Amino acid sequence: MKTQALMMAPPAPRAEGRAETVDRAAKGNLVQSLSRALSIMTILGQSDSPMSLTAVAEAAHLSPSTAHRLLTTLQEERYVRFDQGKRGWAIGVQAYMTGTGFLKTRSLLDVARPRMRRLMEETSEVVNLAVEENGEAIYLHRVGGPRVAQAALPVTDRTLLHCSAVGKALLAGMPDTRVQSIVTQRGMRQFTRTTVSSIPALHRELILTRDRGYAVDQEERVSGLHCVAAAIYDEQARVIGALSLSSTNRRLDDARVVAFGEMVKRTAAAVTAEIGGRFPT
């Protein structure tokens, strides 16, 4: 009977199940620790000065003991450092080295291209990507919509900044001294009757562009052509490019200028985020 009882006893997988549960819990703790450590690195990376242990713990919603354990672990790998002079924690050199690896491989055009095509498909208009070079806007890429009158678009790979939506979006992201330097160097040629051709008027346009987040060109470079544009920024909040949407004034009326302006702004913001950029404060 004893033999039969032993043969009928439940096998041991129950203990194995407990081991699996413990293993999953351990893995969960590791993932949680990693998430908390990355959160601490993000907090320190966004801080302008070293932070105390208490400040780090509060910002990360952790106990001081947990925050200290994670900080010392990150310190061993040089992702954070303790500033003895200021008695606070700061981002470390290894985090910088990791970030530069991303900067080497990113490409503004590669990131922007699929988002430009999506915007073109949503609006059926032309979408452009431009950067500033020597006081001019240089077009890197253009995606044409099926409905657009291509003849209305100027056949050029560059334009002055004061008379175009991409140009004003780029200027709006620059310091006033840089804007003044470009205007002095390039002048403010009047292409149409609506071209902004005075410095006070341009400054008003740039203030408005910063406030609403996108620039508008209402037949200022080419008669019959309206454009809206928004800036793209890098990790130091410097303007590095601009996206624009172009159409004829019959299709891009006042109501659509606002709607398309918001769409271009969202697309430019998505590109900024994907390349690791941030907006100026």
Side-chain angles (χ1 to χ4, degrees):
M1 295 294 293
K2 281 186 180 179
T3 304
Q4 185 179 2
L6 287 172
M7 291 177 63
M8 295 178 63
R14 213 177 266 182
E16 183 181 339
R18 285 196 297 272
E20 289 177 355
T21 301
V22 172
D23 188 48
R24 284 197 298 270
K27 288 181 179 178
N29 289 335
L30 287 174
V31 172
Q32 185 182 57
S33 295
L34 177 59
S35 178
R36 288 171 170 177
L38 292 173
S39 176
I40 286 175
M41 288 177 58
T42 300
I43 291 166
L44 292 178
Q46 294 174 343
S47 177
D48 294 330
S49 59
M51 298 175 65
S52 67
L53 173 62
T54 301
V56 173
E58 290 179 353
H61 305 291
L62 299 172
S63 67
S65 60
T66 299
H68 186 263
R69 185 175 69 253
L70 293 170
L71 283 165
T72 53
T73 302
L74 290 169
Q75 184 182 32
E76 290 177 5
E77 300 298 328
R78 301 194 302 167
Y79 280 97
V80 304
R81 61 185 176 84
F82 185 75
D83 189 315
Q84 295 288 349
K86 297 182 179 178
R87 306 300 298 171
W89 293 92
I91 202 71
V93 67
Q94 189 59 44
Y96 171 77
M97 297 300 293
T98 302
T100 57
F102 167 70
L103 294 177
K104 290 175 184 176
T105 58
R106 75 178 180 183
S107 166
L108 177 59
L109 180 55
D110 289 343
V111 172
R113 187 183 283 113
R115 297 186 182 278
M116 292 174 65
R117 179 158 294 280
R118 193 175 309 138
L119 182 60
M120 180 271 290
E121 291 170 351
E122 291 172 353
T123 62
S124 297
E125 307 296 352
V126 169
V127 180
N128 311 280
L129 173 66
V131 297
E132 182 269 331
E133 182 180 274
N134 296 326
E136 292 184 307
I138 308 299
Y139 291 99
L140 299 182
H141 189 53
R142 173 175 287 170
V143 182
R147 291 172 47 203
V148 75
Q150 294 286 354
L153 293 171
V155 182
T156 180
D157 61 353
R158 64 181 62 221
T159 186
L160 295 176
L161 301 183
H162 72 285
C163 59
S164 60
V166 288
K168 286 187 280 188
L170 291 165
L171 288 172
M174 299 178 188
D176 289 341
T177 52
R178 175 63 176 148
V179 174
Q180 184 64 48
S181 174
I182 288 174
V183 170
T184 300
Q185 175 191 7
R186 291 292 180 178
M188 298 185 69
R189 177 182 169 188
Q190 187 157 3
F191 290 92
T192 70
R193 60 182 181 82
T194 59
T195 303
V196 175
S197 55
S198 71
I199 292 178
L202 179 61
H203 280 302
R204 288 193 295 271
E205 280 280 313
L206 299 185
I207 291 171
L208 183 58
T209 296
R210 293 173 188 132
D211 287 343
R212 67 190 171 198
Y214 60 88
V216 176
D217 162 12
Q218 295 179 306
E219 302 185 77
E220 295 173 41
R221 178 65 177 83
V222 177
S223 295
L225 187 67
H226 283 195
C227 303
V228 289
I232 300 167
Y233 297 90
D234 68 8
E235 70 284 350
Q236 296 184 37
R238 297 174 303 194
V239 61
I240 57 170
L243 283 176
S244 74
L245 185 150
S246 306
S247 185
T248 62
N249 57 1
R250 287 180 297 176
R251 284 204 300 275
L252 198 54
D253 55 20
D254 291 343
R256 284 185 173 177
V257 162
V258 175
F260 284 178
E262 292 295 329
M263 294 173 72
V264 170
K265 182 169 70 172
R266 287 195 298 270
T267 303
V271 175
T272 294
E274 192 168 342
I275 64 173
R278 61 184 180 90
F279 293 95
T281 55

